[in-house]
C-alpha cells in the first residue's frame, strides 16, 4: 500500500523522485495556461516560466492531461509532473474536491514505479488534503497478485508527500487519516472483486471478513449452509444449492461505545454468477467474478467506519453464494420459501441477487436499525439506463433517497435517484407463489427494487443502490479508477455513516 505523509518542507528543497504540480486553463477571453496554487516555489525555480515551458511541451491544462518536464538546477526532484485541473476557478473560489481527487489519481497512475513523489497541489482546507490523499492512494492501486513480475518489476508509487499541509494541525491530520483508512479499505474491496472466483468462494470471502474482524476488534458471525438450512434462509440456499461451494451469510458489526444510531448495510455477494440454469451466454459471464462487489463495498465501509471511530453503530450483512448450474441447482419454475416466510416463484435463475438480498434484508430488519441500505450489482437494466459510471438509488422514503444522492455527489460518486412505480409491482404476481422473482422486462431495474422492498421490515427506512454500472471498469483506467474492481459506493456508505453520527439525517 502506498504511504501518505504530510510535509512542511518546501517544494524546492524536499528530496523526492518526482514533483507534482497542477496547471489549469486561465479564465477570460485570452485563456492560456496558468500554474495552480501550491507550486509557487516550483515556478520560481523555472524563473517564473513554468507555464510557458509546459505549454511548449503541449500542456493545455485539460482535466486528465499529464505533462512531464525536466527540473532545473533549483529543484531536488529530477522532474516535474504537471496534471491538468481543467478551467481555473474564479478568484474567490477554490478547486472542487473531485477535481483535486481526479488529478491526484492521474498523477499517481503516471508515477507507477516511482519511490517517492511530492504533491504540490492546491491546499486551502482540510478537505483538499482528504481529496488529494484519496486520489493519490486510489490512483496508485494495482492488482498484481497473480502475475509473475520478476525481481525487476516496477510497483506502484510507494510514497506520497503532501506539501502545504500541516502535520500538527488536528484537522489536517484527521483528513489524512480518513483518506488512508478509506483508500486502504476501498483497495481491499478492489482486491476481493479482482480475485478469481476459483479462489474467492463464499467460504474464502467469509474467512477474509473474519480475519479483518479480529484485526479491528469487530464482531463477526458466519452462518454456514447447515445454519442457513436450520434458519430457513431459502433465498440464499436456493441460489447456492447448485454449487460445490456452499453459501454463507456473514454479519460484521461495529458498535460504538456511545448509544449511537444504527445503520445496516446489506451487500450482494455472488462470488461467481453463471446465471445458473438460466445460463448467461458467452460474452456475458467473463467478468462475473465482480458480482460480489456489493458485499465487498459493505465490508469495506464497516471496517473503515470502525477504523475512524465514527459515533454510529454499523452492521454489515454479506449474502454470499455462487450461482452455478448442476443437477441440484434451482430450476426455473421452482418455488422457494424465503427467510421472511414469503414464497417466491423463480422464473429466471439469473435474477439471483434479489433472492440472496431478500433473506439478508429480512434478517437485518429484525434488529430494527434506523435505516437499511443495500448495495448490489443487480441489473443490466440499470446499466442501460445510467451507463457505466453512475449507480441508481431507490428508496421507500423520498427524503432518504435525496440525502443519499447528495451524499454520493459530495463523496465524488456519480448517482441518480430512481422511482419505484407501484404499477410495476403487479407484474411480479405469480399464480403459484406470493410473488415471482421477475416482472416486465422494461424497467427491470425498478422491478428489482420493488422486489427488494417486499423484504424490508415495516417502518424501517431503506434504500437500494444498484451499482451494476460503476462496480467493474472494463475500459481503460482513468483518474483514480483502475481497470477492474472499483470499490463503488464505499465512499457513499462511509459518508452516510458520518452524516448519521453528526445528526444530519435525523
Amino acid at each position: 500500500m502506498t504511504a501518505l505523509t504530510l510535509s512542511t518542507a518546501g517544494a524546492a528543497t524536499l528530496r523526492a523522485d518526482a514533483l507534482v504540480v497542477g496547471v489549469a486553463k486561465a479564465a477570460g477571453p485570452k485563456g492560456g495556461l496558468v500554474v495552480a496554487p501550491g507550486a509557487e516555489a516550483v515556478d520560481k525555480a523555472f524563473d517564473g516560466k513554468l507555464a510557458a515551458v509546459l505549454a511548449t511541451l503541449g500542456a493545455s491544462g485539460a482535466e486528465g492531461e499529464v505533462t512531464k518536464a525536466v527540473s532545473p538546477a533549483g529543484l531536488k526532484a529530477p522532474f516535474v509532473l504537471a496534471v491538468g485541473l481543467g478551467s481555473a476557478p474564479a478568484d474567490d473560489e477554490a478547486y472542487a474536491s473531485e477535481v483535486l481527487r481526479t488529478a491526484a489519481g492521474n498523477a499517481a497512475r503516471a508515477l507507477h514505479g516511482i519511490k517517492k513523489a511530492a504533491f504540490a497541489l492546491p491546499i486551502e482546507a482540510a478537505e483538499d488534503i482528504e481529496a488529494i490523499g484519496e486520489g493519490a492512494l486510489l490512483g496508485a492501486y494495482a492488482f498484481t497478485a497473480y502475475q509473475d513480475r520478476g525481481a525487476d518489476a516496477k510497483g506502484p508509487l510507494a510514497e506520497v508527500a503532501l506539501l502545504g499541509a500541516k502535520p500538527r494541525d488536528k484537522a489536517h491530520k484527521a483528513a489524512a487519516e480518513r483518506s488512508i483508512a478509506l483508500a486502504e479499505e476501498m483497495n481491499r474491496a478492489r482486491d476481493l472483486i479482482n480475485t478469481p472466483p476459483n479462489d474467492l468462494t463464499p467460504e474464502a470471502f467469509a474467512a477474509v471478513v473474519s480475519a479483518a474482524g479480529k484485526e479491528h476488534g469487530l464482531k463477526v458471525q458466519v452462518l454456514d449452509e447447515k445454519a442457513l438450512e436450520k434458519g430457513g434462509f431459502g433465498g440464499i440456499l436456493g441460489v447456492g444449492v447448485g454449487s460445490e461451494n456452499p453459501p454463507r451469510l456473514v454479519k460484521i458489526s461495529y458498535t460504538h461505545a456511545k448509544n449511537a444510531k444504527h445503520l445496516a448495510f446489506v451487500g450482494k455477494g455472488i462470488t461467481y454468477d453463471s446465471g445458473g440454469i438460466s445460463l448467461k451466454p458467452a460474452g456475458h459471464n467473463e467478468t462475473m467474478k465482480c458480482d460480489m462487489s456489493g458485499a465487498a463495498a459493505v465490508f469495506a465501509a464497516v471496517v473503515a467506519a470502525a477504523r475512524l471511530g465514527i459515533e454510529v453503530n454499523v452492521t454489515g450483512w454479506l449474502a454470499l453464494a455462487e450461482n452455478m448450474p448442476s443437477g441440484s441447482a434451482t430450476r426455473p419454475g421452482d418455488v422457494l420459501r424465503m427467510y421472511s416466510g414469503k414464497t417466491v416463484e423463480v422464473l429466471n435463475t439469473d435474477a439471483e441477487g434479489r433472492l440472496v438480498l431478500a433473506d439478508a434484508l429480512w434478517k437485518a430488519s429484525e434488529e430494527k436499525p434506523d435505516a437499511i441500505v443495500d448495495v448490489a450489482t443487480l441489473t443490466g437494466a440499470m446499466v442501460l439506463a445510467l451507463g457505466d459510471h453512475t449507480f441508481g438509488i431507490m428508496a421507500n422514503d423520498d427524503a432518504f433517497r435525496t440525502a443519499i444522492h447528495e451524499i454520493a455527489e459530495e463523496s465524488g460518486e456519480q448517482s441518480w435517484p430512481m422511482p419505484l412505480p407501484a404499477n410495476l409491482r403487479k407484474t411480479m404476481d405469480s399464480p403459484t407463489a406470493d410473488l415471482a422473482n421477475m416482472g416486465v422486462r422494461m424497467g427491470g431495474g425498478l422491478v428489482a427494487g420493488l422486489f427488494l422492498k417486499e423484504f424490508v421490515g415495516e417502518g424501517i427506512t431503506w434504500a437500494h443502490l444498484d451499482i451494476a454500472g460503476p462496480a467493474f471498469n472494463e475500459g481503460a483506467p482513468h483518474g483514480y479508477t483502475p481497470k477492474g474492481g472499483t470499490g463503488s459506493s464505499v465512499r457513499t456508505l462511509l459518508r452516510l455513516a458520518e452524516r448519521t453520527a453528526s445528526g444530519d439525517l435525523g
Side-chain angles (χ1 to χ4, degrees):
M1 178 70 185
T2 303
L4 178 71
T5 59
L6 304 182
S7 177
T8 57
T13 58
L14 182 69
R15 292 190 179 277
D17 300 297
L19 187 55
V20 178
V21 301
V23 291
K25 297 178 180 180
K30 292 185 178 181
L33 191 69
V34 294
V35 178
E40 291 82 2
V42 183
D43 190 32
K44 184 177 180 181
F46 278 85
D47 294 327
K49 298 178 182 179
L50 177 56
V53 170
L54 293 171
T56 301
L57 294 172
S60 67
E63 289 189 41
E65 186 179 74
V66 175
T67 309
K68 185 186 293 187
V70 176
S71 297
L75 299 177
K76 298 288 186 181
F79 69 90
V80 172
L81 189 79
V83 287
L85 302 175
S87 298
D91 291 339
D92 58 342
E93 295 180 359
Y95 285 93
S97 292
E98 183 62 8
V99 170
L100 296 177
R101 189 181 290 115
T102 300
N106 283 323
R109 286 193 300 106
L111 294 172
H112 187 88
I114 298 295
K115 289 185 178 181
K116 182 177 181 179
F119 281 56
L121 294 174
I123 293 178
E124 295 189 12
E127 290 77 12
D128 299 332
I129 293 172
E130 186 179 311
I132 296 169
E134 276 181 29
L137 297 177
L138 294 173
Y141 172 82
F143 185 71
T144 59
Y146 291 82
Q147 297 174 356
D148 183 6
R149 299 171 59 78
D152 298 328
K154 294 182 179 180
L157 173 62
E159 182 182 350
V160 171
L162 298 189
L163 307 184
K166 302 173 183 177
R168 295 185 180 181
D169 184 281
K170 288 184 178 180
H172 285 204
K173 185 178 179 181
E177 289 174 349
R178 185 185 188 278
S179 65
I180 291 170
L182 174 59
E184 286 183 353
E185 295 312 320
M186 271 188 71
N187 286 339
R188 192 208 302 256
R190 290 169 168 183
D191 282 348
L192 288 167
I193 297 165
N194 290 327
T195 299
N198 56 320
D199 281 346
L200 191 72
T201 62
E203 182 179 12
F205 196 153
V208 172
V209 178
S210 295
K214 290 181 180 179
E215 179 184 357
H216 297 288
L218 304 175
K219 186 177 181 181
V220 177
Q221 179 185 10
V222 179
L223 299 184
D224 62 14
E225 66 272 28
K226 292 182 181 179
L228 292 170
E229 186 172 356
K230 183 178 180 180
F233 292 86
I236 297 175
L237 289 168
V239 174
V241 70
S243 173
E244 293 183 355
N245 298 305
R248 296 286 187 269
L249 178 61
V250 180
K251 177 185 179 183
I252 178 169
S253 305
Y254 161 61
T255 304
H256 194 271
K258 294 184 178 180
N259 186 20
K261 290 207 168 188
H262 181 196
L263 293 175
F265 297 154
V266 178
K268 172 188 172 183
I270 304 301
T271 57
Y272 181 73
D273 182 18
S274 70
I277 297 297
S278 305
L279 193 67
K280 294 179 183 290
H284 292 77
N285 55 17
E286 291 81 0
T287 60
M288 282 298 102
K289 65 182 181 180
C290 78
D291 215 18
M292 36 59 67
S293 296
V298 165
F299 170 43
V302 174
V303 177
R307 290 179 60 174
L308 295 171
I310 300 173
E311 292 185 15
V312 64
N313 299 327
V314 186
T315 305
W317 298 88
L318 283 59
L320 309 178
E322 187 175 67
N323 188 24
M324 297 291 286
S326 71
S328 62
T330 294
R331 298 158 290 248
D334 284 354
V335 173
L336 304 177
R337 185 170 294 279
M338 312 296 282
Y339 178 69
S340 69
K342 287 184 179 181
T343 55
V344 173
E345 182 180 10
V346 179
L347 298 181
N348 187 329
T349 63
D350 195 22
E352 84 299 328
R354 63 199 72 182
L355 299 175
V356 301
L357 285 173
D359 277 356
L361 283 168
W362 194 258
K363 184 65 175 174
S365 295
E366 290 180 342
E367 296 188 347
K368 304 295 182 183
D370 293 289
I372 298 176
V373 179
D374 76 72
V375 186
T377 48
L378 204 61
T379 64
M382 197 58 62
V383 184
L384 292 174
L386 299 178
D388 293 332
H389 293 183
T390 305
F391 62 75
I393 308 170
M394 286 155 267
N396 61 3
D397 181 283
D398 288 349
F400 190 53
R401 181 185 62 186
T402 299
I404 291 181
H405 175 53
E406 293 173 350
I407 287 169
E409 297 298 310
E410 175 188 325
S411 303
E413 298 200 275
Q414 296 181 42
S415 67
W416 197 252
M418 303 292 283
L420 289 172
N423 63 293
L424 293 180
R425 169 59 184 86
K426 294 181 180 180
T427 69
M428 289 185 286
D429 286 348
S430 164
T432 307
D434 292 324
L435 73 163
N437 76 327
M438 293 290 290
V440 291
R441 182 169 177 266
M442 300 302 174
L446 312 183
V447 171
L450 286 164
F451 180 92
L452 296 178
K453 184 181 176 183
E454 295 281 322
F455 297 91
V456 177
E458 186 176 353
I460 298 176
T461 301
W462 157 81
H464 160 57
L465 311 185
D466 190 336
I467 62 170
F472 196 83
N473 177 28
E474 295 186 60
H478 56 90
Y480 50 85
T481 301
K483 188 177 181 66
T486 65
S488 175
S489 78
V490 175
R491 286 178 285 164
T492 297
L493 295 178
L494 184 61
R495 185 69 74 187
L496 173 63
E498 292 170 330
R499 290 277 293 274
T500 301
S502 66
D504 289 351
L505 297 179

